[in-house]
Amino acid sequence: MNTFKSDVMTLLELESGKTIHQADVFELYHAVSKAAMKQVKSKWEAPQVSKKACYFSAEFLTGRLIYSNLQNLGLMNQLSELFHENNIDVAIFEDIEDAALGNGGLGRLAACFLDSAATQGITLNGYGIRYKYGLFKQYFENGFQKEAVDDWQQFGDPWSQRNEGEKVTVKFKNQTVYAVPYDTPVIGYGAKTVNTLRLWQAEPLVPFDFQLFNDQKFELAVRERDDAEAISSVLYPNDTADKGKKLRLKQQYFFTSASLQDIIRTYKRRYGNDFTHFSAEYAIQLNDTHPVVSIPEFIRLLVSEEGISFGKALKIARQTFAYTNHTIMAEALEKWDAKLFKSVIPNVYRYVVMIQKALLKELSGMGITGSDQKPYLIIDENSVVHMARLAVFATHSVNGVAEIHTEILKKSVLKEWYRIYPKRFNNKTNGITQRRWMALSNMELSGFITDKIGSGWVTDLEKLRNLERYKDDKNVICQFAHIKQIKKQQLSDYMEKHDGIRLNPEFIFDVQVKRLHEYKRQLLNALSIVDIYFGLKNGRIQNYHPTVFLFGGKAAPGYLRAKGVIKFINEIANMVNNDPEVNQQMKVVFVSNYNVSYAEKIMPAADISEQISTAGTEASGTGNMKLMLNGAVTLGTLDGANVEIIRQAGEENNYIFGARVETLEMIADSYNPREIYEQNERVRAAVDTLVNGMLDDGGTGMFRELYHSLLDGASWHRPDNYFVLYDFISYCDTRLQAISDYSDRLAFSRKCFLNTAGAGKFSSDRTVREYAIQIWGM
Ligand SMILES: *Cc1c(COP(=O)(O)O)cnc(C)c1O
């Protein structure tokens, strides 16, 4: 008897009193998930004996778990059989919402790392926050972005287990709360290793009790409950410069303090008060500055709870913690007003002061004194606490996430630190898990690859190189191109359901999907579409193949300029798609609510991957890797991991344009975008659509604001801060070259094929292995 199938039936009967035919999608979801959970139970409960790495991250963008877990457990076939026998479509679980407990790349990276570690038998547990509401859901009204709350738990969370027995208390200045862990198994491919993602939920100390009604205590209890629950209530979008700062610091302290208490408790079961083995037992990786407050908290716990001396505690911290930098954007390198810090966690602040003292002593010892100490100050002369500086000082490893990014850290952002601790700096180029981003989301291409080179690529992506032997085999390239057509058709079918838009798979699919941000330059893409529109209408553009320009991505709710760009793109879509003179040749679409599950549909269908950030601004990118793996050519700048992508796949198989970092550094001070605007007719025609009435921003003034941002700047930035106009013609011409090259389908498909063949380096299996060996000492 097949236990999985019969477990599903039994669970349905037990939990909902229904047969498989009567059950609705949510009852099926729970039964299938719980039946699968049963299979991991014994593996999951086995103690983790070797060194344990802990991934501290404020975000985990896991996406939908059910398919990937069933795949990794090897239960997909049994589910298909069971559903087939009962006439149920396996795709029904696409109605289950994503768990979107992250904003974008950084959170998705954390999820890919967990999959890769478990698959390779590396003990890596994730620690974060169980937000009640994840990243908002996006929809469009009249071309404007609107936000709705993401109530991801509305249909339950069968993949997690509440672990009441392991809750801890977290103390703030005027508040103490419980942190209750919810554990989700992280099931490696083949299910040999099962790690844990532990997300903490904040709850009041006194259980809320309606019996207190009629009592004046009632109001107090309500307030206490609400204040506690607020801590794990919402995921902060990327725009919260000043809003809710206090709550955000509370969140960071909440989950890191809970995680550390948990880890130390486990450690002490074996070693008691002897902390000399701590860094041999645990490595803690800090995903960006969000969890950096864990360093002074760790030292505080050792000193004030365990009686270790400050000096020893700092030493253990340095041996245990490692810091990953994810951005050079100043606004993302977190800083706290010391007053605010003290008002939330005064006991921890005291340890920041002590760490600063240790820093000053170390600097003096190196001969760095007086004003030379300034760029190092963790608490600076304006009473601002710099979390990145704290991280560099009190860890043994600082890494960037692509080669060019790490070099920029060393040369500019953290150059003073690199001078004194050169050995601390290292690079770990990001990666993605091929289990989700190929095996699961592109079964057709997976089958094709396995047919050609065997299935080893599923756990060893470098094997894709073996595809190169087919690069001149016309039949193989045609098969490969045929699969792309199938995926384009599937995406079109899905989009028709999801967004009511049909695409023609004969068109090129040119795709830019990622969070909306000025540095990612969706505006450059949009203006170039306007240029193509004019060029087609006036006959300037020849040798052109019909193209869909596809966008997806959310703008942070308070980021008005990014929202203006969304409206601009939607207005361009209106103009282009309704113009019979061009709409057989171009189509512009902005899909709504781009998330992991949508990405899984889009990546396999793309021909051109837009990676057009200003050189030096995108730390790595991972969307670029997903698209490359699925056989898209990169149209991009020499930025982030693009540099390594073209090194792997060949410059001749990609489309590189625009200024390099060195050039931008040189021209930055003299750059005058208005000159370009005045001298170049195409630039002017495109930019003028922001203000000449052709496109309508509904009276909001958003388009005019974009226009001024390019030509005049604003109080907080110079004109065209991200060099949109500087790169404009280079971008448009390179893009038109790619579009024209597509007409030779065989030659273009060969480029795509060689991108897939060259994607081996970008597996997160490789990245995690490098962390494990080079940073975690495993
Ligand atoms: C991969 C991914 C990202 C990161 O995309 P970039 O292009 O690297 O910025 C963001 N959001 C989702 C949903 C993703 O899957």
Side-chain angles (χ1 to χ4, degrees):
M1 184 61 190
N2 181 305
T3 55
F4 174 67
K5 280 160 94 181
S6 66
D7 281 350
V8 172
M9 304 296 238
T10 312
L11 280 160
L12 275 174
E13 175 67 40
L14 270 173
E15 306 230 328
S16 58
K18 289 189 181 167
T19 67
I20 192 164
H21 299 284
Q22 297 163 326
D24 65 24
V25 55
F26 303 108
E27 289 156 346
L28 287 170
Y29 173 58
H30 279 260
V32 169
S33 305
K34 285 183 181 156
M37 283 281 262
K38 251 186 84 175
Q39 307 235 338
V40 301
K41 203 168 165 26
S42 62
K43 274 260 160 52
W44 195 20
E45 285 168 355
Q48 298 179 322
V49 286
S50 55
K51 182 165 185 179
K52 292 155 283 289
C54 311
Y55 205 74
F56 281 18
S57 178
E59 304 187 11
F60 286 92
L61 194 54
T62 48
R64 199 180 286 126
L65 284 179
I66 185 162
Y67 294 119
S68 57
N69 280 346
L70 292 176
Q71 172 184 260
N72 286 0
L73 283 164
L75 294 173
M76 253 337 223
N77 285 338
Q78 294 181 45
L79 179 78
S80 300
E81 262 175 45
L82 177 68
F83 276 23
H84 188 77
E85 289 158 14
N86 293 284
N87 255 322
I88 302 167
D89 184 356
V90 177
I92 57 162
F93 294 138
E94 293 192 358
D95 290 349
I96 306 299
E97 307 267 358
D98 280 23
L101 307 186
N103 275 291
L106 171 150
R108 183 55 231 173
L109 184 77
C112 281
F113 280 4
L114 294 185
D115 180 84
S116 282
T119 295
Q120 299 179 98
I122 295 168
T123 306
L124 174 71
N125 300 311
Y127 293 86
I129 300 173
R130 188 171 193 257
Y131 301 105
K132 184 161 174 30
Y133 303 106
L135 185 60
F136 67 86
K137 285 203 214 161
Q138 176 198 56
Y139 62 98
F140 299 130
E141 210 173 82
N142 217 350
F144 291 105
Q145 170 177 294
K146 299 281 162 189
E147 300 97 26
V149 293
D150 168 53
D151 188 8
W152 67 276
Q153 290 174 35
Q154 61 182 318
F155 306 117
D157 178 21
W159 291 100
S160 81
Q161 252 171 34
R162 182 181 168 100
N163 212 330
E164 189 74 34
E166 302 205 8
K167 69 183 176 193
V168 299
T169 57
V170 177
K171 290 193 182 82
F172 303 93
K173 183 174 184 195
N174 293 317
Q175 184 185 21
T176 303
V177 300
Y178 276 132
V180 184
Y182 280 74
D183 294 340
T184 300
V186 180
I187 305 159
Y189 185 78
K192 286 193 280 291
T193 301
V194 181
N195 291 326
T196 299
L197 171 58
R198 172 161 276 195
L199 300 180
W200 301 95
Q201 177 166 294
E203 296 182 9
L205 289 187
V206 184
F208 186 72
D209 185 352
F210 274 97
Q211 312 233 308
L212 293 170
F213 210 88
N214 290 337
D215 190 337
Q216 57 166 8
K217 282 185 191 151
F218 177 71
E219 231 167 85
L220 251 165
V222 171
R223 177 126 56 81
E224 194 162 317
R225 180 199 60 183
D226 291 351
D227 287 351
E229 289 176 355
I231 294 171
S232 58
S233 172
V234 289
L235 165 76
Y236 274 83
N238 282 336
D239 68 334
T240 46
D242 291 306
K243 271 182 286 170
K245 274 211 154 187
K246 205 166 182 166
L247 187 55
R248 189 167 164 89
L249 179 59
K250 271 189 171 179
Q251 288 188 331
Q252 299 182 351
Y253 180 67
F254 166 75
F255 93 88
T256 55
S257 175
S259 306
L260 290 171
Q261 291 182 54
D262 184 35
I263 290 165
I264 291 172
R265 174 174 62 194
T266 310
Y267 175 84
K268 287 178 70 178
R269 274 186 214 133
R270 173 139 177 227
Y271 292 102
N273 269 45
D274 173 9
F275 279 85
T276 53
H277 306 280
F278 194 82
S279 65
E281 279 289 305
Y282 288 99
I284 299 175
Q285 191 69 39
L286 305 175
N287 198 23
D288 216 333
T289 50
H290 320 137
V292 168
V293 68
S294 60
I295 296 172
E297 170 65 358
F298 176 78
I299 295 172
R300 186 191 72 82
L301 286 168
L302 290 201
V303 173
S304 76
E305 311 274 319
E306 309 296 341
I308 310 286
S309 76
F310 174 81
K312 276 201 183 126
L314 174 61
K315 193 163 164 226
I316 299 170
R318 274 179 145 172
Q319 289 163 343
T320 304
F321 287 89
Y323 160 60
T324 303
N325 174 283
H326 281 275
T327 178
I328 61 161
M329 296 285 139
E331 71 267 24
L333 293 168
E334 285 179 307
K335 299 181 193 73
W336 302 106
D337 181 24
K339 223 167 105 191
L340 178 136
F341 202 113
K342 270 188 274 191
S343 75
V344 178
I345 37 177
N347 293 338
V348 183
Y349 186 77
R350 284 181 41 225
Y351 285 87
V352 179
V353 173
M354 287 158 79
I355 295 169
Q356 163 110 324
K357 272 201 192 122
L359 163 70
L360 295 182
K361 197 169 152 211
E362 200 161 306
L363 289 175
S364 301
M366 294 171 178
I368 298 169
T369 54
S371 65
D372 289 347
Q373 294 184 341
K374 253 175 114 167
Y376 298 94
L377 298 180
I378 295 169
I379 306 168
D380 71 15
E381 61 276 44
N382 301 315
S383 294
V384 173
V385 185
H386 294 252
M387 300 310 272
R389 294 176 186 174
L390 172 53
V392 183
F393 176 64
T395 61
H396 64 94
S397 165
V398 176
N399 75 282
V401 290
E403 287 171 14
I404 185 176
H405 167 59
T406 301
E407 288 309 309
I408 290 171
L409 292 180
K410 295 199 276 193
K411 276 195 204 118
S412 61
V413 182
L414 300 171
K415 63 170 187 283
E416 291 87 0
W417 292 96
Y418 178 60
R419 200 161 66 76
I420 61 173
Y421 304 131
K423 290 213 188 86
R424 203 164 289 186
F425 286 73
N426 64 93
N427 177 60
K428 298 286 169 281
T429 298
N430 281 168
I432 55 168
T433 166
Q434 67 268 31
R435 267 83 57 192
R436 183 176 289 265
W437 297 107
M438 175 63 79
L440 197 64
S441 58
N442 199 342
M443 292 188 192
E444 293 82 356
L445 191 53
S446 298
F448 163 91
I449 294 169
T450 297
D451 182 54
K452 299 291 177 273
I453 62 168
S455 61
W457 61 272
V458 177
T459 49
D460 178 7
L461 202 62
E462 294 280 4
K463 291 234 154 69
L464 290 180
R465 275 283 174 223
N466 293 329
L467 285 170
E468 280 184 354
R469 76 171 88 109
Y470 296 100
K471 70 181 194 302
D472 299 314
D473 185 330
K474 208 174 141 181
N475 271 327
V476 171
I477 302 297
C478 285
Q479 281 174 42
F480 179 83
H482 179 64
I483 290 167
K484 183 65 77 180
Q485 288 307 112
I486 293 172
K487 299 312 283 185
K488 286 162 83 166
Q489 185 61 56
Q490 288 174 3
L491 174 63
S492 173
D493 295 344
Y494 180 79
M495 277 181 57
E496 188 163 16
K497 269 192 280 171
H498 191 270
D499 290 282
I501 304 166
R502 271 197 82 76
L503 303 178
N504 181 348
E506 292 307 314
F507 279 40
I508 298 170
F509 283 19
D510 169 306
V511 167
Q512 186 173 20
V513 284
K514 49 183 78 247
R515 287 300 296 267
L516 263 287
H517 201 290
E518 286 164 273
Y519 83 79
K520 292 176 184 278
R521 298 201 294 191
Q522 281 93 351
L523 181 58
L524 172 61
N525 184 340
L527 290 169
S528 149
I529 294 169
V530 174
D531 177 65
I532 292 172
Y533 174 75
F534 290 144
L536 286 174
K537 283 179 85 89
N538 69 19
R540 185 189 84 234
I541 295 172
Q542 302 291 317
N543 306 319
Y544 176 88
H545 189 98
T547 304
V548 174
F549 301 98
L550 189 154
F551 293 86
K554 299 176 185 179
Y559 193 172
L560 294 185
R561 202 174 268 172
K563 288 177 134 177
V565 172
I566 291 181
K567 173 66 175 169
F568 185 51
I569 293 165
N570 279 327
E571 283 308 295
I572 295 170
N574 246 332
M575 171 176 79
V576 167
N577 302 347
N578 294 310
D579 185 339
E581 227 176 82
V582 297
N583 65 12
Q584 302 302 305
Q585 295 190 276
M586 59 192 298
K587 184 169 181 115
V588 181
V589 294
F590 205 128
V591 303
S592 61
N593 204 42
Y594 176 65
N595 60 10
V596 171
S597 290
Y598 217 142
E600 288 170 30
K601 306 278 183 198
I602 293 171
M603 302 303 174
D607 298 302
I608 297 178
S609 161
E610 296 274 351
Q611 307 299 336
I612 61 176
S613 52
T614 313
T617 61
E618 184 74 270
S620 163
T622 50
N624 46 5
M625 299 168 184
K626 299 166 196 166
L627 286 155
M628 175 206 202
L629 176 63
N630 281 278
V633 300
T634 296
L635 169 56
T637 48
L638 284 178
D639 196 23
N642 300 351
V643 177
E644 292 157 74
I645 284 174
I646 67 153
R647 194 187 302 146
Q648 294 298 313
E651 186 148 11
E652 68 284 7
N653 299 313
N654 290 289
Y655 294 86
I656 299 303
F657 72 93
R660 298 167 179 243
V661 185
E662 300 80 28
T663 312
L664 295 179
E665 271 168 10
M666 258 158 46
I667 65 151
D669 289 334
S670 60
Y671 177 48
N672 181 3
R674 192 171 278 281
E675 203 172 290
I676 298 176
Y677 169 84
E678 274 160 8
Q679 283 169 11
N680 192 302
E681 215 177 304
R682 278 165 65 193
V683 171
R684 203 161 58 242
V687 171
D688 280 349
T689 60
L690 285 165
V691 291
N692 65 9
M694 266 183 84
L695 300 169
D696 183 6
D697 64 9
T700 57
M702 281 172 152
F703 292 175
R704 185 161 291 278
E705 204 279 329
L706 288 173
Y707 177 87
H708 286 304
S709 79
L710 291 173
L711 296 177
D712 305 311
S715 59
W716 69 96
H717 72 80
R718 293 183 287 199
D720 194 13
N721 223 7
Y722 294 98
F723 302 94
V724 169
L725 302 192
Y726 192 85
D727 280 346
F728 185 76
I729 293 296
S730 164
Y731 174 55
C732 291
D733 292 350
T734 310
R735 182 179 221 181
L736 285 166
Q737 184 64 50
I739 288 173
S740 136
D741 285 357
Y742 187 87
S743 302
D744 184 347
R745 291 300 303 280
L746 188 65
F748 195 89
S749 295
R750 190 171 174 279
K751 290 179 200 279
C752 294
F753 179 81
L754 287 170
N755 270 280
T756 299
K761 173 176 179 183
F762 304 105
S763 169
S764 45
D765 297 350
R766 187 263 316 147
T767 316
V768 163
R769 220 161 40 235
E770 288 177 1
Y771 276 90
I773 296 168
Q774 297 165 17
I775 301 179
W776 305 333
M778 295 165 85

